[in-house]
Amino acid sequence: MTTPEDQSPAPQPSAPETKDRIYRSPAGMAGGVLLLGLVGWLGLDAIFVGEGSTPWLALASLILAVPLVVAFTLRPAVFAGRDRLRVRNPFRVIVLPWGQVASLRSGYSNEVVAASGKKFQLWSIPVSLRARKKANRRESKAAAERTGRTGGRDAGRGGSGFGGLGGLGGGLSRGGGAVPDGPVRAETDRVMDELRELWEAREKEETAQGEVTVRWAWEILGPAVAGAVVLGILLAVG
């Protein structure tokens, strides 16, 4: 009787890598597309219809303006991964391992503070004071409705008919929707809360350690500087 050979276990498939969370400003991107359309329309019209030095001035202006519009509208983004935070601002790309992040602050702007004390603004997560005030008003209203709902249940247990009706009325939202149990936050404040949660969960991990790196966006700065130089020369020559 033969003994069956020991079979090695089948290799387990490796866990898929978690994709980075990407945060952009929809309003900024929409504005950038509109600006690029306007700049392109005016510039191309001047190039093909203009006379004398006008086409060259329009071309130099396009070389200067297009990279700047892209830099401030379409380019900004924040990539939050398991081990690092990558911030793509108009003229720089900053990579911060979670272990090097000291804090994520929200005030009149959203920014990340490195352990060295350097601050980097998160361009793609702009603060809207109007949205924040609106969220605060909604939170105050929701808190009052939650209080009324709790008071209504207590009054209903007391057996008073009018109290029971008042409690039922106080527990219903005017809009017909459910009253949120958690605090009402503005969209960008919720994004910052998500980043803080990810940072607090990953900052101690061995793979989330390293050095902060900052790289200048020469693909934006190069064409913009070249366009500015050419435009200056054309204006000087007349």
Side-chain angles (χ1 to χ4, degrees):
M1 185 174 180
T2 59
T3 304
E5 296 180 358
D6 295 335
Q7 296 182 354
S8 59
Q12 298 294 329
S14 58
E17 295 184 0
T18 304
K19 293 183 178 180
D20 292 352
R21 303 178 189 178
I22 304 175
Y23 300 96
R24 297 175 181 270
S25 172
M29 296 180 66
V33 171
L34 292 176
L35 281 175
L36 285 176
L38 179 61
V39 169
W41 172 49
L42 295 176
L44 293 177
D45 181 72
I47 289 174
F48 291 107
V49 179
E51 299 178 354
S53 62
T54 300
W56 295 105
L57 289 171
L59 180 60
S61 299
L62 281 177
I63 297 174
L64 170 62
V66 170
L68 294 180
V69 172
V70 171
F72 286 98
T73 59
L74 303 181
R75 176 181 169 80
V78 170
F79 303 85
R82 287 176 55 84
D83 299 325
R84 64 180 185 172
L85 180 70
R86 183 159 63 96
V87 182
R88 193 169 69 189
N89 282 344
F91 302 120
R92 294 189 298 178
V93 177
I94 305 101
V95 178
L96 302 100
W98 288 118
Q100 288 293 325
V101 175
S103 65
L104 289 157
R105 297 179 181 175
S106 297
Y108 291 105
S109 64
N110 291 316
E111 59 187 18
V112 55
V113 183
S116 62
K118 292 184 178 180
K119 302 176 184 178
F120 304 101
Q121 186 174 349
L122 305 179
W123 278 79
S124 67
I125 311 177
V127 171
S128 172
L129 297 180
R130 180 181 179 183
R132 186 174 287 174
K133 291 179 180 178
K134 183 178 179 180
N136 290 337
R137 289 195 299 267
R138 291 179 58 194
E139 169 60 18
S140 299
K141 179 181 177 181
E145 290 179 347
R146 287 194 293 266
T147 302
R149 181 174 56 186
T150 304
R153 287 198 295 264
D154 294 340
R157 296 189 189 100
S160 171
F162 290 105
L165 291 175
L168 179 62
L172 296 177
S173 172
R174 291 183 180 177
V179 179
D181 293 329
V184 179
R185 302 275 283 165
E187 179 63 27
T188 55
D189 290 335
R190 288 200 298 268
V191 169
M192 294 299 290
D193 291 339
E194 291 180 8
L195 293 178
R196 290 189 188 97
E197 290 176 1
L198 184 57
W199 163 52
E200 291 171 357
R202 299 292 302 172
E203 63 175 332
K204 301 297 183 181
E205 298 294 330
E206 183 178 354
T207 55
Q209 309 305 314
E211 298 295 330
V212 178
T213 60
V214 179
R215 180 181 68 84
W216 287 97
W218 295 110
E219 65 274 15
I220 296 292
L221 292 172
V225 171
V229 171
V230 174
L231 183 60
I233 292 173
L234 292 174
L235 291 175
V237 171

